[in-house]
Amino acid sequence: MLGTALVAAGCSSEPEGGKPLPSTTLSAPTDQPTTDEAPTPTPTPQPTPKETSLTAVGYKKALANVEMNLTRGVQRVMNAPTMAAFDQARAELAGSIARQRQELAKINGPQSLGSGHTKVLGAFDAYPDHVTTNLAASGETKTGCGLPKAGAVRLYQAKTGIRTSVVQLTQAVNKSVGKGTNFGLRMTPPALKPPPQMTGRGTNGQIIQRAGSRGAGTLQIKNNGSADVVVVVATSVPRQPQVSIYVRHGSDATLRGVRGSYWVFFKSGTAWDGVSRQFTEDCSFSKYDDRFDGKFDWTITLSPVIGGNASTSDVDPF
């Protein structure tokens, strides 16, 4: 009994003074850190929902909505009163077309359409390049004859360029979708009427200029060519004429009161500007090589004729 008590005292965990010692728990080392949290379960893959294709009717409704959203922008372009207003409206329309293309890209065309939906998107993608091509003429500040281009002409050419681009877009969409599609019917504006500067013509037989005294000579003119012509009678240079007369193609006119010996110059073209007394497009400038004797009456035919005896040469613009 005494020995047992001593063993128990020696194994006691209480130090002197009666206070208990801190206990220590030892764990066996492991390869992985331990945690009290439950393991995160691996998520089960969910099937991706299949995108539904529109029906043919639904697709046409989507195109009709696109057209409705673009129509007002086209109208703003066509109603622009100045080139500055046109440029602003044109930029807004380009942005609208790009946004509508993005909206169309979010939908699936009907299966029966095949690759048609992709071609529709391609038609919208081609619009900017068409605009660049179709606005080239309006960006030029000179006419084909080198004269300053009227603002009304530039604006007409610019609006016509946008209209052409819209027509190209709508035609490409309709071709991609197939028969029964009328995309663009409301969006396409009517063709514009050219301004007077582009369609101007003088009156047949109209005297354009006259200077100095009159003589007794007569010059009969037959214009059998395809263009209107201004015939200039000048003692020396065409910019200082005795008299000049407008002769429409397919018409005749007689110039009276010619004096002395003279040269005959003629210029032809289209888009006659009565203010500057010049053709503004498709110009050509020529003269007869031989001088005319004012003692006689002459007849000239402004087109190549069999048996003709008068040669001509090109000259500088006048």
Side-chain angles (χ1 to χ4, degrees), residues 78 156 159-164 167 187-194:
M78 303 307 291
Y156 165 81
K159 291 180 179 180
T160 299
I162 290 298
R163 181 185 182 277
T164 301
V167 169
M187 185 173 73
T188 303
L192 294 174
K193 181 180 179 180

Side-chain angles (χ1 to χ4, degrees), residues 62-312:
L63 290 177
N65 186 62
V66 168
E67 180 177 1
M68 181 182 65
N69 292 332
L70 295 178
T71 298
R72 183 171 296 181
V74 174
Q75 291 174 344
R76 280 197 295 266
V77 170
M78 303 307 291
N79 292 333
T82 63
M83 281 299 298
F86 167 83
D87 287 336
Q88 180 178 353
R90 175 177 64 88
E92 292 172 355
L93 176 60
S96 296
I97 288 179
R99 288 190 294 272
Q100 293 305 309
R101 191 271 186 206
Q102 292 175 349
E103 292 302 315
L104 283 174
K106 297 177 182 178
I107 67 176
N108 290 323
Q111 294 181 356
S112 60
L113 190 59
S115 62
H117 181 54
T118 301
K119 293 179 180 178
V120 168
L121 298 180
F124 278 78
D125 292 335
Y127 175 81
D129 288 339
H130 289 158
V131 169
T132 299
T133 300
N134 295 328
L135 292 188
S138 65
E140 299 171 355
T141 59
K142 297 288 187 180
T143 69
C145 299
L147 300 173
K149 185 181 292 185
V153 173
R154 290 192 63 202
L155 188 57
Y156 165 81
Q157 291 175 330
K159 291 180 179 180
T160 299
I162 290 298
R163 181 185 182 277
T164 301
S165 301
V166 170
V167 169
Q168 290 172 319
L169 169 62
T170 59
Q171 288 178 342
V173 170
N174 289 328
K175 182 178 180 181
S176 300
V177 178
K179 294 181 178 180
T181 307
N182 57 0
F183 175 76
L185 189 63
R186 293 175 298 172
M187 185 173 73
T188 303
L192 294 174
K193 181 180 179 180
Q197 294 91 332
M198 298 185 69
T199 58
R201 295 181 74 188
T203 302
N204 188 63
Q206 176 186 359
I207 299 299
I208 304 301
Q209 293 170 287
R210 186 183 285 275
S213 60
R214 299 191 183 189
T218 299
L219 181 65
Q220 186 176 4
I221 305 153
K222 297 180 179 293
N223 183 4
N224 294 337
S226 59
D228 291 0
V229 173
V230 171
V231 175
V232 176
V233 170
T235 304
S236 56
V237 294
R239 292 186 181 275
Q240 298 175 352
Q242 281 191 41
V243 60
S244 59
I245 187 172
Y246 194 102
V247 187
R248 291 190 172 191
H249 68 85
S251 301
D252 299 345
T254 300
L255 188 56
R256 306 180 190 280
V258 182
R259 68 178 187 273
S261 63
Y262 54 90
W263 298 100
V264 174
F265 298 83
F266 48 97
K267 55 186 176 184
S268 64
T270 59
W272 172 255
D273 184 347
V275 176
S276 64
R277 295 177 292 202
Q278 294 284 355
F279 294 106
T280 60
E281 300 291 343
D282 308 311
C283 296
S284 66
F285 303 86
S286 306
K287 68 180 286 289
Y288 281 102
D289 293 331
D290 296 326
R291 196 174 181 90
F292 286 68
D293 188 342
K295 296 178 182 179
F296 301 93
D297 296 332
W298 296 90
T299 297
I300 59 174
T301 302
L302 302 179
S303 64
V305 294
I306 298 176
N309 58 358
S311 61
T312 61

